[in-house]
Amino acid sequence: MITITGIVKVSNSEEGQSSFKITVYRYENPWTIPNFLCMARIGLSPVLGYLIVEKEFNLSLGLFFLAGITDLLDGYIARNWANQKSALGSALDPLADKILISVLYISLTYAQLIPVPLTAMIISRDVALIAAVFYVRYKTVPPPRTLSKFFNPCYATAQLKPTFISKVNTAVQLVLVAASLAAPVFQYADSMFLQTLWYITAMTTAASAYSYYHYGKKTVQVLNHTK
């Protein structure tokens, strides 16, 4: 992690005076093992979606558990090795989860294993959260703001802190995906168990969306600051 200081001259036209603002921000190496694992999970998403649409449920179930292993590994490595932890990873990990979950829910809805209203609810929440992440990124990138700087993963401008209920919601959503993928394999697609999971997932999704609305700025730690 490298700390960089930028000095910006600010002129006051009314008083004819100039002042200086010092912006301190971080420049980090984004090429860590957890980040590579997150990108691998994103790459698996369209493959899983295709297999589900083609009703290859046995293979898609196996690949889904492989994606779950990458999720566990990237979190474990980031927590236990300081040089593998990054601000990019704090955003990339939940983004990878959201992309994977969105693709899986759309595909499972197409396969008639998850109801349309539940998928629409989950996708709407995730789109809103991704839009919020892009807004935070825009506001925290040091000036002058350019596209190359905005999309440069080396600029560590903010770190995301998911709420507790959001972590619970992600786990519940993934449990429903696993249960839905296994349903046609083990012949319980019309069971009360799956329907109960639908309602539980809907409740945790709504609670998670509200938690981000309620806590707002507390879920974001700005790493660069101006003096």
Side-chain angles (χ1 to χ4, degrees), residues 63-215:
L63 280 180
F64 172 71
F65 280 109
L66 177 61
I69 290 171
T70 68
D71 193 12
L72 293 174
L73 271 178
D74 71 54
Y76 176 80
I77 293 171
R79 285 192 301 271
N80 290 277
W81 283 272
N83 65 336
Q84 294 296 305
K85 188 175 182 179
S86 64
L88 174 64
S90 74
L92 192 59
D93 183 41
L95 178 63
D97 288 339
K98 285 173 177 53
I99 291 173
L100 178 64
I101 287 172
S102 297
V103 170
L104 287 171
Y105 271 80
I106 292 171
S107 304
L108 288 167
T109 300
Y110 179 86
Q112 299 183 340
L113 290 169
I114 290 179
V116 173
L118 178 57
T119 296
M121 181 182 186
I122 290 169
I123 298 298
S124 299
R125 168 193 171 273
D126 288 349
V127 168
L129 288 178
I130 290 172
V133 168
F134 273 91
Y135 175 76
V136 169
R137 174 65 172 176
Y138 172 77
K139 295 295 289 184
T140 55
V141 167
R145 297 184 178 97
T146 61
L147 284 176
S148 61
K149 190 180 290 184
F150 182 91
F151 289 105
N152 187 340
C154 296
Y155 283 101
T157 60
Q159 187 166 347
L160 304 182
K161 297 180 178 180
T163 61
F164 173 74
I165 187 59
S166 178
K167 295 179 181 179
V168 172
N169 176 58
T170 299
V172 171
Q173 289 179 348
L174 291 174
V175 167
L176 176 56
V177 167
S180 300
L181 284 173
V185 177
F186 298 102
Q187 306 298 318
Y188 62 87
D190 297 322
S191 68
M192 182 63 69
F193 169 68
L194 271 184
Q195 295 177 23
T196 302
L197 276 178
W198 295 345
Y199 288 106
I200 293 174
T201 304
M203 287 189 292
T204 59
T205 300
S208 174
Y210 176 76
S211 72
Y212 279 110
Y213 171 79
H214 180 72
Y215 291 106

Side-chain angles (χ1 to χ4, degrees), residues 4-21:
I4 298 177
T5 302
I7 302 177
V8 180
K9 183 177 181 180
V10 180
S11 298
N12 189 322
S13 57
E14 293 182 359
E15 299 178 4
Q17 298 178 346
S18 297
S19 59
F20 293 89
K21 289 185 178 181

